[in-house]
Amino acid sequence: RKEVEQDPGPFNVPEGATVAFNCTYSNSASQSFFWYRQDCRKEPKLLMSVYSSGNEDGRFTAQLNRASQYISLLIRDSKLSDSATYLCVVNTGFQKLVFGTGTRLLVSP
Amino acid sequence: DGGITQSPKYLFRKEGQNVTLSCEQNLNHDAMYWYRQDPGQGLRLIYYSQIVNDFQKGDIAEGYSVSREKKESFPLTVTSAQKNPTAFYLCASSISGRRSVNEQFFGPGTRLTVL
């Protein structure tokens, strides 16, 4: 089983739609969690950290479910500029991050 | 502006040659990392360094070498022993490699192509 698993997509949604991605992780000792965004042929950029209580940043909401070992990202009111690959990232506690392969989102007019 | 720079952006190498990729940061971060990204795969850790003059192998260190003589710099050498070096190489840094919350920030990357 992979340490971090994501549905590769693509998720095709119209502008204004709400879309959600899930990501599962295998190591129950994982300590911290992040969502990164990566545009085509660019570097990953930190979108948000994921806290136990969940957190929201504008149109983006991240949730953590430790019991089921998954994290989620919800994007409301999708914009064309949200089109990108979203990487789920987990700190396994060994002072390094493990990256998922990403979920591709395409927002169309 | 604070940030991470990588050079060159594109690099072409002949088989059998060693090449060195540059990574510099002025964020005063202690920890630095090198990853490679291949199409359809997640980032894979090559080497990381938590402090000057110290570094550890990541998951795919064979065929690579690094040094950390200065806090700001963490160059990666891709040696001729690396069997499949064509990839997108990303350097990252974080405030400290020892914190449990460990956001990493990335440079723009170097695309290496072996001809």
Side-chain angles (χ1 to χ4, degrees):
Chain A
R1 182 182 173 187
K2 288 184 179 178
E3 290 186 88
V4 177
E5 292 200 72
Q6 296 183 253
D7 181 341
F11 284 59
N12 291 283
V13 302
E15 271 187 294
T18 295
V19 62
F21 311 133
N22 280 345
C23 162
T24 59
Y25 61 94
S26 61
N27 188 338
S28 59
S30 299
Q31 298 179 357
S32 52
F33 310 86
F34 310 93
W35 284 102
Y36 279 72
R37 170 196 170 125
Q38 186 173 24
D39 292 291
C40 188
R41 301 179 69 82
K42 299 286 188 180
E43 75 274 23
K45 294 186 178 178
L46 180 65
L47 181 65
M48 57 199 309
S49 302
V50 187
Y51 304 122
S52 296
S53 56
N55 50 306
E56 186 175 314
D57 183 2
R59 298 182 294 108
F60 298 85
T61 300
Q63 297 281 350
L64 167 64
N65 185 317
R66 284 192 183 274
S68 299
Q69 295 184 208
Y70 75 85
I71 66 173
S72 63
L73 178 67
L74 181 77
I75 305 175
R76 290 180 298 277
D77 188 24
S78 298
K79 312 291 184 190
L80 294 176
S81 57
D82 293 334
S83 296
T85 297
Y86 291 84
L87 306 178
C88 171
V89 184
V90 176
N91 181 326
T92 59
F94 295 102
Q95 299 173 352
K96 61 179 184 178
L97 300 181
V98 178
F99 288 76
T101 55
T103 297
R104 191 173 173 206
L105 172 65
L106 299 173
V107 182
S108 55
Chain B
D1 289 334
I4 305 172
T5 58
Q6 291 185 243
S7 61
K9 187 173 183 180
Y10 298 97
L11 184 59
F12 298 90
R13 187 193 95 175
K14 292 181 180 179
E15 283 192 29
Q17 287 181 337
N18 293 355
V19 290
T20 298
L21 282 57
S22 168
C23 177
E24 304 276 335
Q25 55 97 0
N26 60 4
L27 300 167
N28 200 32
H29 285 175
D30 284 326
M32 297 186 74
Y33 309 81
W34 274 106
Y35 296 88
R36 69 176 276 170
Q37 187 175 34
D38 297 279
Q41 296 194 39
L43 278 68
R44 292 184 290 166
L45 182 64
I46 303 172
Y47 267 99
Y48 63 104
S49 168
Q50 295 174 345
I51 197 166
V52 174
N53 293 322
D54 185 50
F55 50 82
Q56 287 80 39
K57 292 182 179 180
D59 300 318
I60 55 164
E62 185 175 352
Y64 300 98
S65 64
V66 293
S67 62
R68 186 86 187 277
E69 298 176 1
K70 298 188 299 182
K71 186 176 185 177
E72 302 79 18
S73 178
F74 191 40
L76 173 74
T77 296
V78 185
T79 75
S80 57
Q82 169 49 234
K83 300 302 181 187
N84 186 20
T86 295
F88 186 37
Y89 289 87
L90 289 156
C91 178
S93 69
S94 64
I95 292 175
S96 169
R98 298 183 188 279
R99 290 174 59 191
S100 61
V101 179
N102 193 22
E103 300 96 336
Q104 294 180 13
F105 300 92
F106 286 84
T110 293
R111 290 196 178 273
L112 173 63
T113 302
V114 174
L115 303 173

